[in-house]
Amino acid sequence: MTYANVITRLKEAAGPNGWSEDAGEIAPHLVEWRSKYQGHSTLLLKPQTTAQVSAILAICNQTGNAIVPQGGNTGLVGGQIPLNGEILLSLGRMNKIRNVDAEGASIIVEAGVVLANVQHAADEAGKYFPLSLAAEGSATIGGNLSTNAGGVNVLRYGPARDLVLGLEVVLADGRVLDLLRTLRKDNTGYDLKQLFIGAEGTLGVITAAALKLFPKPKSRVTAFAAVPSPEAAIALLNRMQDETGGQVSAFELIPRVGLEFVLKHIPQTSDPLAAPSPWYVLMEATSAALPLNDIAESVIAHAMDTGLVADAVFAASEAQAASLWRVRESLSEAQKHEGASIKHDVSVPVRAIPELLKNGIAAVEKIVPGARPVPFGHIGDGNIHFNFSVPAGGDNDVFLTKWNEVSRAVHNIVHSLGGSISAEHGLGVMKRDEIVRYKSPAEIELMRTLKRTLDPNNILNPGKGVAI
Ligand code: FAD
């Protein structure tokens, strides 16, 4: 069959409005948020049903044509970009909420539903869906599950993986694997759905998911506190967890330099506290029943007496809470305005974070004297976005030539502390080769065996993740 025939069959399989060859329409799908990876593709498929996805994959598998699944295109490691002219499969039109079961505390959604819409549907049903990240207005459930996304509420609710009850997946050969159950207990052999969560579109295409819903928080306390060190932040976290009975949902570390970048570049932001501090934490505790304000205030008062906290502010309204969160959520955007940055998404055991920061900053200073460390993020679950900005007045391109050397130094330290070189963003193409250095040969080989078994013709997002 000629390539032209294959394309004709694929267009038919995707339905009349289900494809595009218009370069203008395809272009935004080819570049990602950081403009780090530029792809190319001449065919965008936009199926609307599971049956269409199934027909598309069957054709790709028979004809050996590679295909790259894409959701909201907010991934940060290049996994969703067709780097070698592959066919692009956008799940964006599979955006129906199939069922909301408030009594059963579950929701069934198609893969292309935007995360914020899932949160909204849960809210309308009087429930809560806790997955939350700065890209939630564009990122889709299919992408969230395929990257096992984390975000700000992992501390309390776990990453995306922990929020899944069931999945519907189309396998490489087009077979539909219906695992779309809402059971809380099901010990009938291997838990196959887990294979596809965090697989970055390399083992199958997720077309729908059954997700857990939770009681809506009725009491929410949001505070921004100045702490002298990461050690103090961790001590404060533990105290807050003990006193609230583990109700802390978010606990985010922000360095002074990060706050300064935000104040300088992001409109309508202001320093929440009067005096500068080397570090801050933004924390949130929520409860469906307990009023938490008094407890949180007494923990902070005690922490101020013992020197763990220098100063703190509590949000008195939702608007104030939103403006504190705006500081945290603007960090990546603000860093862009400061020139080039070299970024890492790493995790270590929480107690090892101070050592990671100290050793990592020292190692990078040796490689690029003057590089400005901007480590921030989910300190509560050991996940730091260990970023470095170009030295003040430095040359962006020269700085970026150091990316591999800087990353190797950071990753070696992470590994020596028992950590992971990708905490929540996945491997994509960015860490595809790097991961092989840090996993045991047995782990890598088992992953490759799975890939070869589920996708023997290597048509699903080839060259991404633990590639074969
Ligand atoms: P895409 O970017 O389209 O795809 C990501 C990967 O999933 C690709 O490998 C793709 O091939 C695969 N894929 C997509 N859909 C499917 C499907 N249906 N079936 C199979 N494979 C599929 N991530 C976090 O974890 N925590 C954060 O706090 C966070 N903050 C962010 C903030 C910003 C400003 C931005 C831009 C990104 C952030 N991210 C964060 C990264 C990103 O939002 C997540 O990785 C998100 O889960 C990706 O969803 P998406 O729909 O955009 O997926």
Side-chain angles (χ1 to χ4, degrees):
M1 192 185 304
T2 64
Y3 187 66
N5 284 343
V6 176
I7 298 300
T8 305
R9 280 183 65 198
L10 285 169
K11 289 180 190 168
E12 276 166 19
N17 300 316
W19 56 271
S20 174
E21 290 177 312
D22 173 13
E25 185 179 344
I26 297 175
H29 295 267
L30 301 178
V31 61
E32 41 81 78
W33 197 74
R34 291 177 182 163
S35 307
K36 193 165 164 57
Y37 300 101
Q38 174 67 55
H40 58 109
S41 177
T42 51
L43 180 63
L44 171 67
L45 298 175
K46 308 179 285 180
Q48 213 171 10
T49 66
T50 303
Q52 288 171 343
V53 176
S54 161
I56 289 166
L57 292 199
I59 296 166
C60 286
N61 194 48
Q62 282 160 13
T63 57
N65 279 284
I67 189 155
V68 176
Q70 190 179 90
N73 191 14
T74 67
L76 296 174
V77 288
Q80 72 282 15
I81 303 297
L83 294 170
N84 298 301
E86 297 93 335
I87 293 154
L88 197 48
L89 178 71
S90 168
L91 280 299
R93 287 175 75 229
M94 291 197 65
N95 56 8
K96 285 190 214 59
I97 294 181
R98 291 190 188 167
N99 186 42
V100 187
D101 176 4
E103 279 196 334
S106 65
I107 184 169
I108 299 183
V109 302
E110 291 184 345
V113 177
V114 167
L115 172 55
N117 294 343
V118 181
Q119 296 165 348
H120 184 65
D123 190 59
E124 291 215 309
K127 291 285 176 185
Y128 178 58
F129 184 64
L131 188 65
S132 176
L133 35 104
E136 65 198 23
S138 312
T140 62
I141 283 297
N144 297 152
L145 299 184
S146 299
T147 56
N148 186 25
V152 291
N153 289 326
V154 171
L155 191 54
R156 173 85 170 277
Y157 297 95
R161 183 185 299 284
D162 291 1
L163 306 174
V164 180
L165 293 168
L167 283 187
E168 180 185 85
V169 179
V170 180
L171 298 175
D173 61 8
R175 277 178 298 163
V176 179
L177 197 58
D178 182 357
L179 311 170
L180 209 49
R181 300 168 196 128
T182 54
L183 299 174
R184 305 274 159 165
K185 291 179 133 182
D186 178 12
N187 278 352
T188 50
Y190 305 131
D191 189 356
L192 292 177
K193 67 176 180 294
Q194 296 295 348
L195 281 179
F196 303 95
I197 302 172
E200 301 180 74
T202 62
L203 298 181
V205 174
I206 296 173
T207 47
L211 305 167
K212 293 180 193 168
L213 298 180
F214 294 82
K216 228 189 227 192
K218 294 202 174 72
S219 149
R220 182 186 301 273
V221 53
T222 309
F224 189 90
V227 290
S229 62
E231 285 89 340
I234 294 167
L236 178 64
L237 166 66
N238 281 310
R239 201 164 165 82
M240 194 61 87
Q241 286 287 49
D242 288 346
E243 295 301 313
T244 60
Q247 309 285 308
V248 180
S249 49
F251 201 86
E252 302 284 307
L253 184 72
I254 300 171
R256 176 71 199 172
V257 64
L259 176 60
E260 281 170 1
F261 287 177
V262 170
L263 298 176
K264 187 166 154 200
H265 299 294
I266 307 294
Q268 288 154 5
T269 52
S270 57
D271 193 334
L273 298 172
S277 161
W279 299 95
Y280 302 91
V281 289
L282 173 61
M283 75 189 91
E284 197 155 271
T286 56
S287 168
L290 268 181
L292 291 170
N293 283 55
D294 290 352
I295 302 173
E297 279 172 22
S298 96
V299 172
I300 294 283
H302 182 266
M304 287 175 77
D305 289 345
T306 54
L308 278 186
V309 166
D311 193 7
V313 59
F314 283 85
S317 63
E318 283 199 12
Q320 274 182 21
S323 84
L324 294 177
W325 273 106
R326 190 165 152 74
V327 169
R328 162 64 185 88
E329 283 168 358
S330 306
L331 284 166
S332 298
E333 182 63 35
Q335 209 188 345
K336 272 189 179 180
H337 295 280
E338 284 290 321
S341 43
I342 299 179
K343 302 194 169 194
H344 308 92
D345 163 43
V346 296
S347 65
V348 293
V350 174
R351 65 176 156 65
I353 284 186
E355 202 177 342
L356 166 71
L357 295 176
K358 188 164 110 334
N359 295 351
I361 289 169
V364 175
E365 174 64 24
K366 276 194 197 140
I367 300 168
V368 187
R372 292 172 294 168
V374 194
F376 67 89
H378 322 299
I379 186 171
D381 44 74
N383 174 197
I384 293 291
H385 298 308
F386 204 170
N387 297 350
F388 294 84
S389 280
V390 63
D395 184 288
N396 286 334
D397 293 336
V398 171
F399 179 59
L400 289 177
T401 61
K402 298 287 182 182
W403 189 302
N404 289 345
E405 203 182 336
V406 165
S407 285
R408 182 60 52 79
V410 170
H411 290 164
N412 283 346
I413 292 166
V414 166
H415 186 64
S416 73
L417 294 170
S420 164
I421 67 162
S422 182
E424 60 175 9
H425 294 161
L427 299 172
V429 66
M430 186 190 269
K431 297 178 187 171
R432 176 191 63 191
D433 300 327
E434 192 73 350
I435 192 60
V436 180
R437 296 176 57 86
Y438 300 108
K439 292 244 185 223
S440 70
E443 253 181 300
I444 295 287
E445 193 40 44
L446 190 52
M447 289 197 202
R448 289 182 172 154
T449 302
L450 281 170
K451 170 72 173 169
R452 281 190 285 262
T453 305
L454 286 169
D455 181 18
N457 297 326
N458 199 18
I459 58 150
L460 285 173
N461 218 356
K464 311 283 177 51
V466 179
I468 52 173

